[in-house]
Amino acid sequence: MGTSAAGGVSAMRRGGTRSGVTERVTLCNGPDRILEGWALNVSRGGVRAILEEKVELGQKFDVVVGTDQAFKRPGRVVWIQEEPDGVIVGIEFTNPSGAPIDSAPPPSNRETP
């Protein structure tokens, strides 16, 4: 079974429609820690990926999906499912301050004078 989000609360699904992909994913949290795996699906709020190496709940990474730097987002591990040959992880994209991207207030439709 998967591991729940930090604080014992199950991770909520957010981030809109998920698109199935088969792309390389690279996770970096410093020059000494670079992990590679495969993205299984991506949404505007996060990515589900399979990795050979274990990660920790709440661990933060710069996430690159694909082979170029065109899709690079900060993120944090919100759930982990251990498998015999690695882990499947859910990574929530965050903004640079660490808050989830989807927690930003919606743009105002009001016109300013």
Side-chain angles (χ1 to χ4, degrees):
M1 294 222 62
T3 303
S4 63
V9 178
S10 295
M12 293 175 39
R13 290 189 142 198
R14 43 186 152 192
T17 305
R18 287 167 170 65
S19 299
V21 296
T22 305
E23 292 280 345
R24 295 294 294 170
V25 64
T26 305
L27 307 178
C28 308
N29 72 349
D32 299 331
R33 181 82 192 237
I34 298 174
L35 306 176
E36 292 190 348
W38 291 96
L40 301 173
N41 65 41
V42 178
S43 72
R44 69 185 178 120
V47 62
R48 180 171 64 120
I50 187 164
L51 307 169
E52 289 184 7
E53 294 184 49
K54 293 185 178 184
V55 294
E56 294 183 28
L57 200 58
Q59 195 169 5
K60 295 179 182 181
F61 292 96
D62 285 327
V63 181
V64 177
V65 178
T67 56
D68 59 17
Q69 296 286 315
F71 188 94
K72 182 177 180 179
R73 304 280 190 281
R76 69 181 175 93
V77 177
V78 293
W79 60 264
I80 301 166
Q81 178 181 324
E82 293 193 26
E83 298 290 332
D85 56 350
V87 293
I88 299 175
V89 297
I91 300 173
E92 175 183 56
F93 296 137
T94 58
N95 65 26
S97 71
I101 287 177
D102 290 337
S103 70
S108 173
N109 290 332
R110 290 189 231 158
E111 294 181 22
T112 53

